[in-house]
Amino acid sequence: MWMQLLNDIQNGSQKSLARCISLIENEVSGYEQLLQSLPASTVPVIGITGPPGAGKSTLVDALIEVLVQHGKKIAVLCVDPSSPFNLGALLGDRIRMSNWYNHPNVFIRSLATRGSLGGLHPKILEIADLCKAAPVDYVIVETVGVGQSEIEIAGLADATVVVLVPEAGDEVQTMKAGLMEIADVFVVNKADRPEADLFVRNLRLMLAPSFKEERFEIAIVKTTATEKKGVEELWNTIDAHLHSGHYNQRKSWLLAEKAWQLIQRRRMSDLNKEVLKKELEAEYNSGTFNLYRFVESK
Amino acid sequence: MWMQLLNDIQNGSQKSLARCISLIENEVSGYEQLLQSLPASTVPVIGITGPPGAGKSTLVDALIEVLVQHGKKIAVLCVDPSSPFNLGALLGDRIRMSNWYNHPNVFIRSLATRGSLGGLHPKILEIADLCKAAPVDYVIVETVGVGQSEIEIAGLADATVVVLVPEAGDEVQTMKAGLMEIADVFVVNKADRPEADLFVRNLRLMLAPSFKEERFEIAIVKTTATEKKGVEELWNTIDAHLHSGHYNQRKSWLLAEKAWQLIQRRRMSDLNKEVLKKELEAEYNSGTFNLYRFVESK
């Protein structure tokens, strides 16, 4: 069944891809073998992240349109945090993007983080790699940049696009230090706002130190997603990054980052936090508890 | 030597504590055994986090004063991110706090994250536990809430205080989802700003959903650290949390979180990202590379 599925996916069956994603999500036995039989692929993964309310989904929607116009095929994975703080906004996003759900060259799948604190979907790496087996030109992963996901997506995507909105200058520093370090391309969305240019200037100042670390210049693109302004330019900028020396340097780091995350999960898979909690409760009440002796025994 | 050190630390030698922290930082052989021989301790760890510029260090400085006035002994660990984006600010912080460096009841140590992306100090759990062996009433850990550290500190601290500054209402949602989930106490610092009350109201609205998850009410305290306003009240609020049913419920979760992080690090300690990178580069260029087969071999 698995090889047939993979075969159908490679032949462009969106139905098979959707089904296979569900099988991986639910860890139906055999999925590891499927992953281990995926052919080597060079399809780039484009990660789009940023704080809630930055207009990521509207931007992705506009980006899809540009790609479709260029005759590209794309798989889009939207990771919805299960956090209670922005549910409404997210539902809105999904509706906005729904006009692509039936397009033959566009595959869209929403994935819930299932409450992993500020994290990506637990199987996002695997699912993105599965999508790369389909006849697509790009895989786009959209995620709300909150907590860990900022770091995780850096290991996931060949190009990481961080979407921001114009704010007072000092706000940039307040929230973005994590994002700063993972961005390949910055998008300042809602660039029709009066403070947009000031914000872009501040952003450039913030990025300046990174030159000292011999990093390549990080591009900043202004967009107004609601009016589809700047989206074609954003596309060219992402494409340029994927053909840059910077990317070639980062490639193996990205791979190591992905491998690290997968190995870590595999080595911890025998443990369960709830069970650990119960064990610790028992030990703790025994009086002579020492955390490091406990850890040594695991 | 180690047992003598531990003995001196338990007898209140700040010099020995400082030395022992360095030994743990540098993983001098024998430090694991020391950790495994630490006596059980109930000294609470108070984590203070929040974005750069929120005035954390000024607040900690004022908090130390209140505690000293109450005749308490404290160890303070300041975790400085190695991120290039807020170095100046941090140096300023350290200077501000320097008036406590020579106080007999106050032990202060700065730790650099050594570039672990958005993370805490790699040995912060161990060092905090070591401090609990000293004759102190509280251990305070101050960290800049950026990326992962927000999540990590939740597992580290018995009481997590998140320091914010008044901003436009929608900004709260934009940046704090990660912080929302770990806070036991919110501090709205710089409460003399005109928008402070509106900000507190918005914060309460944001926190409302958490009631549905049967979480206890999260206290919000307004402070003006530069004028030492509200600090005594903050102290009482933290103390109340440490004696609350909410804390008793979370205790074993905190322990499980700490154990999980330590076990994970221990199980990955044989691996090195740089080496992994080299291996992957070799495999990748071999053509038939498959990440999941590679991971399976580790």
Side-chain angles (χ1 to χ4, degrees):
Chain A
M1 148 205 161
W2 288 98
M3 288 312 111
Q4 185 53 50
L5 256 183
L6 179 53
N7 195 14
D8 297 344
I9 291 168
Q10 292 177 301
N11 292 328
S13 161
Q14 292 200 357
K15 199 160 146 292
S16 302
L17 179 55
R19 173 145 173 261
C20 199
I21 289 175
S22 303
L23 293 171
I24 292 176
E25 266 195 296
N26 301 311
E27 302 184 335
V28 172
S29 84
Y31 84 95
E32 293 100 332
Q33 290 77 339
L34 174 84
L35 292 169
Q36 289 178 39
S37 57
L38 287 176
S41 162
T42 59
V43 174
V45 176
I46 296 153
I48 299 190
T49 189
K56 287 181 299 299
S57 294
T58 320
L59 189 66
V60 170
D61 186 56
L63 200 53
I64 294 172
E65 185 171 345
V66 168
L67 288 168
V68 166
Q69 282 164 355
H70 286 70
K72 303 293 186 189
K73 294 189 160 97
I74 15 171
V76 182
L77 301 170
C78 308
V79 183
D80 300 349
S82 316
S83 159
F85 296 111
N86 36 36
L87 217 54
L90 284 164
L91 291 174
D93 294 346
R94 297 298 152 253
I95 291 153
R96 231 173 293 134
M97 238 145 80
S98 58
N99 40 327
W100 295 110
Y101 275 103
N102 297 321
H103 194 289
N105 292 356
V106 182
F107 173 85
I108 298 184
R109 173 68 171 256
S110 276
L111 304 163
T113 56
R114 302 182 174 183
S116 68
L117 177 49
L120 282 175
H121 185 281
K123 288 274 182 296
I124 188 68
L125 290 178
E126 292 86 340
I127 292 170
D129 279 328
L130 178 71
C131 291
K132 290 166 70 172
V136 295
D137 299 296
Y138 303 96
V139 176
I140 295 176
V141 178
E142 181 211 338
T143 170
V144 174
V146 166
Q148 288 179 299
S149 55
E150 295 161 4
I151 288 93
E152 287 174 2
I153 200 168
L156 163 73
D158 298 286
T160 300
V161 178
V162 174
V163 185
L164 306 175
V165 279
E167 305 155 338
D170 58 339
E171 278 315 301
V172 186
Q173 175 162 4
T174 316
M175 62 181 290
K176 309 294 176 350
L179 294 171
M180 291 294 173
E181 284 152 340
I182 63 162
D184 299 309
V185 176
F186 273 107
V187 168
V188 176
N189 193 28
K190 306 184 183 178
D192 50 344
R193 289 188 181 179
E195 63 270 40
D197 291 329
L198 172 66
F199 182 76
V200 169
R201 258 201 312 286
N202 287 326
L203 197 54
R204 284 198 203 288
L205 289 174
M206 300 264 352
L207 295 173
S210 60
F211 292 120
K212 301 202 190 79
E213 306 156 16
E214 293 156 52
R215 281 179 59 188
F216 288 68
E217 176 152 19
I218 300 170
I220 302 177
V221 182
K222 289 198 288 179
T223 63
T224 309
T226 49
E227 296 164 26
K228 303 186 156 62
K229 278 190 191 150
V231 183
E232 182 87 35
E233 186 198 346
L234 169 60
W235 176 247
N236 297 331
T237 310
I238 294 170
D239 205 50
H241 165 74
L242 290 172
H243 294 88
S244 69
H246 180 197
Y247 170 58
N248 277 321
Q249 283 189 11
R250 269 185 77 223
K251 225 180 203 157
S252 52
W253 173 82
L254 287 168
L255 209 54
E257 197 54 44
K258 274 169 75 170
W260 184 272
Q261 288 180 30
L262 290 167
I263 295 168
Q264 185 164 276
R265 209 192 305 149
R266 181 165 152 275
R267 290 184 174 188
M268 296 296 280
S269 58
D270 62 308
L271 293 179
N272 169 303
K273 274 190 187 172
E274 275 311 309
V275 176
L276 211 59
K277 189 159 159 285
K278 298 261 175 306
E279 284 180 55
L280 285 160
E281 276 163 353
E283 294 245 358
Y284 192 75
N285 299 326
S286 78
T288 61
F289 176 72
N290 173 292
L291 181 60
Y292 300 89
R293 283 199 302 270
F294 177 85
V295 166
E296 203 56 31
S297 72
K298 291 292 166 187
Chain B
M1 148 205 161
W2 288 98
M3 288 312 111
Q4 185 54 51
L5 256 182
L6 180 53
N7 195 15
D8 297 344
I9 291 167
Q10 291 177 303
N11 291 328
S13 161
Q14 293 199 353
K15 201 161 144 292
S16 301
L17 179 55
R19 173 148 173 259
C20 200
I21 288 174
S22 303
L23 293 171
I24 292 176
E25 266 195 294
N26 301 311
E27 302 184 335
V28 173
S29 84
Y31 82 96
E32 293 100 332
Q33 289 78 339
L34 175 84
L35 292 168
Q36 289 177 38
S37 57
L38 288 176
S41 161
T42 58
V43 173
V45 175
I46 296 154
I48 299 189
T49 189
K56 286 181 300 300
S57 294
T58 319
L59 189 67
V60 170
D61 186 56
L63 200 52
I64 294 172
E65 186 171 343
V66 168
L67 289 168
V68 167
Q69 282 164 354
H70 286 70
K72 302 294 186 188
K73 295 192 160 97
I74 13 170
V76 182
L77 300 170
C78 308
V79 183
D80 300 349
S82 316
S83 159
F85 296 109
N86 36 36
L87 215 52
L90 284 164
L91 291 173
D93 293 345
R94 298 299 151 251
I95 291 155
R96 232 172 294 133
M97 238 144 81
S98 58
N99 41 326
W100 293 111
Y101 275 104
N102 297 320
H103 194 287
N105 293 356
V106 182
F107 173 85
I108 297 184
R109 173 67 171 259
S110 275
L111 304 163
T113 56
R114 303 182 172 184
S116 69
L117 176 48
L120 282 175
H121 185 280
K123 289 272 183 295
I124 189 66
L125 290 177
E126 291 87 339
I127 293 170
D129 279 329
L130 178 71
C131 291
K132 290 165 71 171
V136 294
D137 300 295
Y138 303 96
V139 176
I140 295 176
V141 179
E142 181 212 337
T143 170
V144 174
V146 167
Q148 288 179 299
S149 55
E150 296 160 5
I151 288 93
E152 287 173 2
I153 200 167
L156 162 73
D158 297 286
T160 300
V161 178
V162 174
V163 185
L164 306 175
V165 280
E167 304 154 339
D170 57 339
E171 277 316 300
V172 187
Q173 173 161 4
T174 315
M175 63 181 292
K176 308 293 177 351
L179 294 171
M180 292 292 174
E181 283 151 343
I182 64 162
D184 298 309
V185 176
F186 273 107
V187 168
V188 176
N189 193 28
K190 306 184 184 180
D192 49 345
R193 289 189 182 179
E195 61 271 41
D197 292 330
L198 172 65
F199 183 76
V200 169
R201 258 203 310 287
N202 287 327
L203 197 54
R204 284 199 202 290
L205 288 174
M206 300 264 351
L207 295 173
S210 58
F211 292 120
K212 300 202 191 78
E213 307 155 18
E214 293 154 51
R215 280 179 60 186
F216 288 68
E217 177 151 19
I218 300 169
I220 302 177
V221 181
K222 288 198 287 178
T223 63
T224 308
T226 49
E227 296 163 25
K228 303 186 155 69
K229 278 190 191 148
V231 183
E232 183 87 35
E233 186 198 346
L234 170 59
W235 176 247
N236 296 332
T237 311
I238 293 169
D239 205 49
H241 166 73
L242 290 172
H243 294 88
S244 68
H246 179 196
Y247 169 58
N248 277 322
Q249 282 189 10
R250 268 185 78 222
K251 223 177 203 162
S252 52
W253 173 81
L254 288 168
L255 210 54
E257 197 55 43
K258 274 169 76 169
W260 184 271
Q261 287 179 32
L262 290 168
I263 294 168
Q264 186 164 274
R265 209 192 305 149
R266 181 166 150 274
R267 290 185 174 188
M268 296 297 281
S269 59
D270 62 310
L271 293 179
N272 169 302
K273 275 190 187 173
E274 274 313 307
V275 176
L276 211 58
K277 189 160 157 285
K278 297 262 174 307
E279 283 181 57
L280 284 159
E281 275 164 352
E283 293 245 1
Y284 192 75
N285 299 326
S286 78
T288 61
F289 175 72
N290 173 293
L291 180 60
Y292 299 89
R293 284 199 301 270
F294 177 84
V295 166
E296 202 57 30
S297 73
K298 291 290 167 190

